[in-house]
Amino acid sequence: MLKLDLSHVIKFLPESELNSYNSAAVEANKTLENGTGKGSDFRGWLNLPKDISANEIAEIKQCADDLSGCSDIIIVIGIGGSYLGARAVIDALSDNFNSLKNRSERGAPLILFAGNNISEDYHAELVNLLDKFDYSVIVISKSGTTTEPALGFRLLKLHIEAKYGKKDAKKRIAAVTDKQKGALKNLADSEGYKTFVIPDDIGGRYSVLTPVGLLPIAAAGFNIENLLAGAKNMMQICFDKTNIHDNPANLYAAARNALYKNGKAIEILASFTPNLSYFIEWWKQLFGESEGKDEKGIFPAGVNFTTDLHSMGQWMQEGTRNIFETVIKVNSNKFTLKVPNDKDNLDELNYLSNKRLGEINKMAELGTMLAHVEGGVPNISVTIEKIDEFNLGELIYFFEKACGISGYLLGVNPFNQPGVEAYKKNMFALLNKPGFEKLKAEIENKLNK
Ligand code: PA5
């Protein structure tokens, strides 16, 4: 089971303050569970691991099998919460060199992502690649109107129809979107695509355990029932507890808010395995979009160690002391790989002979924690037993629950994202989208000043 360790935080905080945040976190958890806080219409994710039906899981698995069966590659089109969760889980569970293996070695299609940027080169290269491979598309957008995935899908729709013919192309496309509104819903209905629904009461960044995450994860060959079982386990652990120490989500939310109050405005999430680098990206979105508003919020940053110890390590050790660090630790590895002995020892590494790389990595982890704490960086650790579906499910639910509680402790609505509209409006005006003429004139005025 997931373990939270705050022993390297306590010395940085006045005890009375941590205690008062602990009590406030118990209340914030009740507010979240009782639906009495801001944005309470968006709490569908809270009970999702137990509410999702066996029928829906079976339907997701069937569609994943259908798409996988005819594809070397599956393209997942989506942006923000409509792709980061799937990518986090798939990257965590996949072989690091999957893209160099062929379909039968992998045992599942390669999952690639599109529509999460507007790079001309990225999409041109993707379309060129798809000329050579059999592929399917999963297009995901809750609103159904987001520009980046809509553009990505328009490009691939044209390509897949030209490649397979309109009738067969349809069998290679699945859409995940709102149950009744949005351009993607209309398009999917009129073309007759297989469609899955993102529930109204679940926002993008909390949607990984809906078909948004489950369909791509199943298509990549991973066990979505175990993922949901892990989330369900954590849901029970984090359910309303009067003793704060029994609820890791409460404890984490309380500690990070107490640190924030004490000048630690940046939280850096670190891991010592490259498999978790997209998990860190998912976490950044979850906390960044949930808390960064009303001119408040901890800035969520991420690092991959030991790689980034050689780039960000200096800053973290001795830079401005406004950071704290949360480390995701993993107890065991999939493989065993030992350092070979070398009789010449020209690289002077024989002191490591016969040690597992995992053991060396653990010492790097411990050494880094000791150095950073010594350098004034409070350290939180979240330990999981291994990287598998169950443990990832626990980790996902733990962070989601902590994020809801933490947002309420901070006094913001953790379920909206009004700030992401600003760039979109400017972009639409600059691209002459009908309805944005007035804003276009205002922007031109500003630019000409
Ligand atoms: O978390 C969120 O709500 C956002 O990141 C959305 O997921 C993102 O903007 C994509 O939106 P949509 O799924 O409507 O295309």
Side-chain angles (χ1 to χ4, degrees):
M1 192 195 93
L2 175 151
K3 279 217 308 262
L4 176 75
D5 182 358
L6 298 175
S7 57
H8 298 288
V9 164
I10 286 154
K11 75 168 192 184
F12 293 94
L13 289 171
E15 203 184 320
S16 59
E17 201 160 300
L18 188 56
N19 286 341
S20 88
Y21 270 101
N22 281 345
S23 318
V26 173
E27 288 314 306
N29 191 15
K30 283 190 185 135
T31 304
L32 181 63
E33 286 175 2
N34 297 337
T36 50
K38 293 178 189 167
S40 59
D41 289 348
F42 286 91
R43 295 171 312 118
W45 55 274
L46 259 184
N47 292 318
L48 186 66
K50 79 170 168 52
D51 285 352
I52 188 163
S53 70
N55 273 351
E56 183 162 21
I57 294 172
E59 214 185 314
I60 290 170
K61 284 169 65 176
Q62 183 59 57
C63 177
D65 284 352
D66 293 345
L67 299 180
S68 301
C70 60
S71 310
D72 300 319
I73 295 176
I74 293 181
I75 311 296
V76 176
I77 299 180
I79 196 166
S82 287
Y83 97 103
L84 281 166
R87 186 153 195 183
V89 174
I90 292 167
D91 274 22
L93 295 171
S94 294
D95 183 307
N96 283 289
F97 305 100
N98 237 351
S99 62
L100 296 175
K101 295 185 168 176
N102 63 38
R103 173 70 174 79
S104 61
E105 280 176 301
R106 267 195 313 270
L110 183 67
I111 308 294
L112 298 178
F113 296 86
N116 56 51
N117 64 68
I118 319 177
S119 161
E120 190 161 2
D121 290 347
Y122 183 95
H123 288 89
E125 285 164 6
L126 179 65
V127 169
N128 287 341
L129 178 86
L130 294 176
D131 285 340
K132 303 186 203 99
F133 292 92
D134 278 318
Y135 74 101
S136 302
V137 173
I138 300 174
V139 53
I140 306 170
S141 176
K142 180 171 181 183
S143 62
T145 57
T146 308
T147 310
E148 291 90 337
L151 268 175
F153 186 58
R154 180 179 278 214
L155 293 168
L156 291 196
K157 182 175 184 291
L158 191 78
H159 186 271
I160 203 168
E161 285 176 354
K163 184 167 173 136
Y164 296 103
K166 212 167 156 70
K167 191 161 157 259
D168 284 348
K170 277 182 198 177
K171 297 184 200 141
R172 293 176 173 268
I173 298 173
V176 186
T177 189
D178 187 85
K179 70 172 180 308
Q180 54 191 25
K181 59 178 190 312
L184 179 58
K185 172 67 182 160
N186 297 338
L187 173 63
D189 283 351
S190 96
E191 296 286 5
Y193 301 150
K194 174 77 191 154
T195 306
F196 291 90
V197 170
I198 308 174
D200 284 344
D201 57 357
I202 301 181
R205 59 192 175 275
Y206 293 85
S207 69
V208 52
L209 301 175
T210 73
V212 170
L214 297 179
L215 180 60
I217 293 166
F222 299 115
N223 187 323
I224 56 173
E225 276 118 329
N226 286 354
L227 187 75
L228 288 161
K232 191 169 169 191
N233 195 41
M234 191 47 57
M235 181 187 130
Q236 279 148 359
I237 290 167
C238 295
F239 189 74
D240 181 19
K241 300 268 187 324
T242 26
N243 180 359
I244 173 101
H245 296 284
D246 294 336
N247 185 336
N250 273 4
L251 282 170
Y252 175 56
R256 59 196 301 284
N257 277 277
L259 287 165
Y260 179 56
K261 172 100 184 294
N262 281 270
K264 306 297 184 191
I266 300 169
E267 178 176 11
I268 302 179
L269 186 69
S271 101
F272 281 74
T273 164
N275 287 84
L276 291 180
S277 64
Y278 260 90
F279 195 91
I280 292 174
E281 293 305 312
W282 171 82
W283 172 92
K284 276 162 62 180
Q285 192 219 357
L286 178 66
F287 279 87
E289 225 166 56
S290 299
E291 294 193 319
K293 52 196 70 159
D294 307 339
E295 303 195 356
K296 296 195 261 192
I298 296 169
F299 182 81
V303 285
N304 297 291
F305 288 159
T306 61
T307 313
D308 291 337
L309 286 170
H310 298 261
S311 62
M312 297 303 290
Q314 172 60 36
W315 199 102
M316 292 182 71
Q317 189 66 43
E318 295 182 344
T320 314
R321 297 299 71 185
N322 60 354
I323 59 172
F324 65 100
E325 184 174 27
T326 299
V327 183
I328 303 178
K329 296 181 179 172
V330 183
N331 274 346
S332 59
N333 301 302
K334 277 190 287 193
F335 296 100
T336 301
L337 184 61
K338 289 184 176 174
V339 178
N341 192 51
D342 180 342
K343 71 176 177 13
D344 297 327
N345 196 26
L346 293 176
D347 55 11
E348 298 171 11
L349 279 183
N350 269 357
Y351 76 101
L352 295 176
S353 288
N354 233 12
K355 276 203 190 326
R356 287 182 64 177
L357 256 69
E359 216 179 323
I360 301 170
N361 208 17
K362 277 286 160 208
M363 290 308 109
E365 192 179 279
L366 182 58
T368 305
M369 187 275 284
L370 293 170
H372 286 180
V373 170
E374 191 72 16
V377 181
N379 181 289
I380 298 174
S381 74
V382 181
T383 304
I384 57 171
E385 201 36 54
K386 57 182 171 181
I387 300 182
D388 65 3
E389 289 90 337
F390 186 89
N391 281 276
L392 288 171
E394 281 203 340
L395 203 53
I396 286 168
Y397 194 89
F398 163 75
F399 279 126
E400 286 182 347
K401 186 77 192 272
C403 188
I405 298 169
S406 187
Y408 283 155
L409 280 176
L410 188 66
V412 299
N413 176 351
F415 306 117
N416 66 1
Q417 55 284 329
V420 296
E421 293 310 312
Y423 97 91
K424 289 186 196 168
K425 286 186 194 145
N426 288 344
M427 180 176 81
F428 292 151
L430 289 163
L431 288 167
N432 300 319
K433 184 169 178 174
F436 289 81
E437 296 76 6
K438 190 162 165 263
L439 183 58
K440 165 111 181 171
E442 282 166 22
I443 291 175
E444 276 174 350
N445 245 340
K446 274 188 221 158
L447 291 175
N448 291 335
K449 264 187 191 155

